[in-house]
């Protein structure tokens, strides 16, 4: 007679060390767990509710901001905690994100700082409406050396002054006393000694961008010009029929390709290897900003005046690859996350929205009572934070994921968050979970305007369908949303 016995090895359930948790054996046969799906759904619902409870996107602002609206923000790709900003009064500030204080300040331009970029070798390039491009040093060591040189004021200098004016000699003595006592204004030191080089242009500049690894940069204004940082004049003029260039951007993957947007509603692609434009599309309204996907060589997005953001593939620009909706006013800036999976937009409707690349509607909307029109938005280099500059003179820091915290997590906590994320992904189409995860509080003005826009859109579609039904077959062809905004497409 055979007798079947249960045999277990002690290694499967006894912990190796006293500090380890006891191992639990589980039978994963679904027949033994009839209520598993119900329990998982309840856990997913609880996790979704907790996610909304802990959503606190706003982190803080940088220092005291500027004295005028902020029109440009630039990241330093060599440093995670440094960022530069330019305002409407011509002032550039370089910030330390850890302390949220400004490191240096430059009075760079007369009028608005229209473009700002940090070069690969750590220099800062700025352009403005005063027809100048300026290169600045943002290296801390440079300023320490300059401050030491300024403090070495010669006490034994001859009393005879080179100036005939007595008032100027008195001012020089006062400045010398300030330097001896170490009370010289930092702004005066930085503005006078931080400047490395000045490039003079024939027209005012609207935008600037630097090549990913070469000493080349491009400017947009009345003309689009390619510059070598070692030369004082542009080396090439790439203009192709645009009245005024509003924005220019290099492709960071295919580094010889750049794109520009003009005031005549055009988006043009250029190749600097041949020093010529390659193709052009004409849209119904003007494009305010362009950004290339850092993880894809061919894809880029355009922020349009018609409150939408359009995604393109440069290999086929007869139609857009995606249309990102939800804003109710002109989109002023757009930026891709370093992962290439998300993009952030800033709009004239005083909100910031975050989109997944493959989805047409925003997954998140940020706003405050004090924040005005958002002129510039940028992702941090680790994709965890977003910087925004607005008309109320403040630079704000936001979390890219509103409920995520950056503190050090234990293994148990990390596993729990990953498990909850998988459950939310599994049940995201269930009605209750979908409603809770999508719900956002927005200002009453935006809510009413979005409802009006929805009614208008439905009315237009209904009218087009009626016209199509009562017209000759084929006389009114259907045009998709991804093609409506494109008026013409030209190759050169």
């Amino acid at each position: 007679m055979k007798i079947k016995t249960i045999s277990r090895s002690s290694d499967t359930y006894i912990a190796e060390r006293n500090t380890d948790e006891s191992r639990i054996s589980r039978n994963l046969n679904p027949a033994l767990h009839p209520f598993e799906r119900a329990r998982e759904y309840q856990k997913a619902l609880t996790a979704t509710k907790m996610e909304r409870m802990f959503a606190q996107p706003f982190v803080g602002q940088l220092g005291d901001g500027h004295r005028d609206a902020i029109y440009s923000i630039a990241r330093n790709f060599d440093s995670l905690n440094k960022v530069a900003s330019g305002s409407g009064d011509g002032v550039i500030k370089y910030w330390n994100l850890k302390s949220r204080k400004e490191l240096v300040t430059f009075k760079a331009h007369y009028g608005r700082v229209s473009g700002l970029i940090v070069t690969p070798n750590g220099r800062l390039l700025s352009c403005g409406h005063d027809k100048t491009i300026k290169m600045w040093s943002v290296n801390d060591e440079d300023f320490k050396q300059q401050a030491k040189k300024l403090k070495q004021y010669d006490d034994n200098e001859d009393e005879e002054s080179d100036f005939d004016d007595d008032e100027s000699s008195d001012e020089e003595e006062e400045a010398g006393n300030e330097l001896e006592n170490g009370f010289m204004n930092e702004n005066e030191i930085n503005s006078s000694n931080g400047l490395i080089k000045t490039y003079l242009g024939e027209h005012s500049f609207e935008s600037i961008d630097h090549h990913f690894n070469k000493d080349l940069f491009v400017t947009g204004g009345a003309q689009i010009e390619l510059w070598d940082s070692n030369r004082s004049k542009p080396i090439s003029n790439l203009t192709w029929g645009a009245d005024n260039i509003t924005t220019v951007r290099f492709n960071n993957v295919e580094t010889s390709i750049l794109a520009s947007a003009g005031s005549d509603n055009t988006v043009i692609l250029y190749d600097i290897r041949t020093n010529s434009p390659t193709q052009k599309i004409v849209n119904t309204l003007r494009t305010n900003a362009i950004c290339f996907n850092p993880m894809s060589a061919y894809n880029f997005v355009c922020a349009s005046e018609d409150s939408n953001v359009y995604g393109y593939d440069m290999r086929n620009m007869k139609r857009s690859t995606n249309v990102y909706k939800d804003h109710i006013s002109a989109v002023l800036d757009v930026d891709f996350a370093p992962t290439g999976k998300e993009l952030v937009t800033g709009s004239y409707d005083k909100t910031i929205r975050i989109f997944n690349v493959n989805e047409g509607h925003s997954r998140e909307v940020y706003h405050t009572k004090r924040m005005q029109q958002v002129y510039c938005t940028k992702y941090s280099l680790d994709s965890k934070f977003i910087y925004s500059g607005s008309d109320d003179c403040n630079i704000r820091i936001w979390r890219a994921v509103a409920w995520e915290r950056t503190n050090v997590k234990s293994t148990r906590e990390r596993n729990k968050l990953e498990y909850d994320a998988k459950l939310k992904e599994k049940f995201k189409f269930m009605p209750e979970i979908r409603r809770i995860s999508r719900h956002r509080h927005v200002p009453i003005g935006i809510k009413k305007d979005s409802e009006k826009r929805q009614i208008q859109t439905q009315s237009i579609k209904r009218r087009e369908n009626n016209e199509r039904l009562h017209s000759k077959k084929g006389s009114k062809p259907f045009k998709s949303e991804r093609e409506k905004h494109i008026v013409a497409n030209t190759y050169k």
Side-chain angles (χ1 to χ4, degrees), residues 12 101 120 150 180 251 281 292 368 444 462:
T12 59
K101 294 181 180 178
L150 286 170
E180 287 176 355
N251 188 336
I281 57 170
F292 282 92
T368 66
I444 187 67
R462 189 164 56 247

Side-chain angles (χ1 to χ4, degrees), residues 153-429:
Y153 190 82
D154 189 8
D155 295 332
N156 300 324
E157 189 177 5
D158 295 334
E159 294 180 357
E160 296 180 0
S161 175
D162 295 336
F163 302 95
D164 295 334
D165 191 357
D166 293 336
E167 293 181 0
S168 63
S169 62
D170 293 340
E171 290 176 359
E172 188 178 347
E173 290 177 3
E174 289 178 3
N177 293 332
E178 286 180 349
L179 282 172
E180 287 176 355
N181 297 326
F183 295 131
M184 189 67 173
N185 189 358
E186 278 189 6
N187 296 350
E188 296 176 12
I189 294 175
N190 297 337
S191 296
S192 59
N193 295 284
L195 183 63
I196 297 174
K197 192 181 293 186
T198 302
Y199 307 87
L200 300 178
E202 297 179 357
H203 310 279
S204 63
F205 298 102
E206 292 290 339
S207 180
I208 189 170
D209 196 25
H210 199 280
H211 194 276
F212 185 70
N213 49 22
K214 294 181 181 178
D215 288 336
L216 299 174
F217 63 91
V218 63
T219 58
Q223 298 174 339
I224 177 167
E225 296 171 328
L226 186 66
W227 299 71
D228 189 332
S229 58
N230 300 315
R231 300 186 181 185
S232 59
K233 296 293 182 182
I235 60 176
S236 179
N237 188 341
L238 304 173
T239 305
W240 185 21
D243 297 335
N244 194 37
I245 303 297
T246 56
T247 181
V248 290
R249 192 69 62 204
F250 266 107
N251 188 336
N252 287 339
V253 182
E254 285 288 338
T255 54
S256 58
I257 303 295
L258 65 95
S260 74
S263 58
D264 55 352
N265 304 345
T266 59
V267 176
I268 307 175
L269 294 179
Y270 307 84
D271 192 337
I272 62 173
R273 292 170 294 191
T274 59
N275 281 333
S276 64
T278 58
Q279 58 180 315
K280 176 204 294 187
I281 57 170
V282 182
N283 295 325
T284 53
L285 288 177
R286 191 181 70 186
T287 297
N288 292 321
I290 297 174
C291 186
F292 282 92
N293 191 327
M295 301 301 289
S296 176
Y298 307 109
N299 297 322
F300 66 97
V301 291
C302 298
S304 178
E305 198 77 16
D306 63 357
S307 76
N308 294 332
V309 178
Y310 298 102
Y312 293 97
D313 189 326
M314 67 173 69
R315 296 168 293 184
N316 180 18
M317 294 177 62
K318 293 181 180 178
R319 67 194 305 270
S320 57
T321 56
N322 204 349
V323 181
Y324 304 96
K325 299 184 175 183
D326 278 348
H327 282 294
I328 62 166
S329 191
V331 184
L332 302 178
D333 197 16
V334 61
D335 186 46
F336 266 104
T339 58
K341 296 180 179 179
E342 290 185 341
L343 56 95
V344 60
T345 59
S347 173
Y348 199 80
D349 61 11
K350 308 176 186 178
T351 62
I352 299 167
R353 290 185 182 269
I354 304 174
F355 297 84
N356 288 322
V357 172
N358 299 323
E359 297 177 4
H361 292 278
S362 60
R363 70 162 177 85
E364 200 66 76
V365 54
Y366 295 157
H367 58 87
T368 66
K369 290 182 178 179
R370 289 187 61 235
M371 187 166 69
Q372 299 300 309
Q373 291 82 7
V374 182
Y375 290 122
C376 50
T377 54
K378 284 287 183 289
Y379 259 99
S380 65
L381 296 178
D382 58 358
S383 299
K384 293 183 179 179
F385 297 96
I386 292 169
Y387 316 127
S388 69
S390 53
D391 198 28
D392 59 318
C393 315
N394 282 326
I395 304 172
R396 293 179 172 84
I397 305 176
W398 309 83
R399 290 186 177 93
V401 181
W403 58 90
E404 193 177 67
R405 299 296 181 266
T406 55
N407 59 322
V408 179
K409 300 178 181 66
S410 64
T411 305
R412 188 175 181 182
E413 185 179 3
R414 216 165 40 242
N415 292 339
K416 177 67 166 64
L417 292 174
E418 291 173 0
Y419 178 61
D420 287 347
K422 286 294 183 183
L423 288 179
K424 287 184 286 186
E425 178 71 20
K426 182 178 180 180
F427 294 98
K428 65 179 180 180
F429 295 112

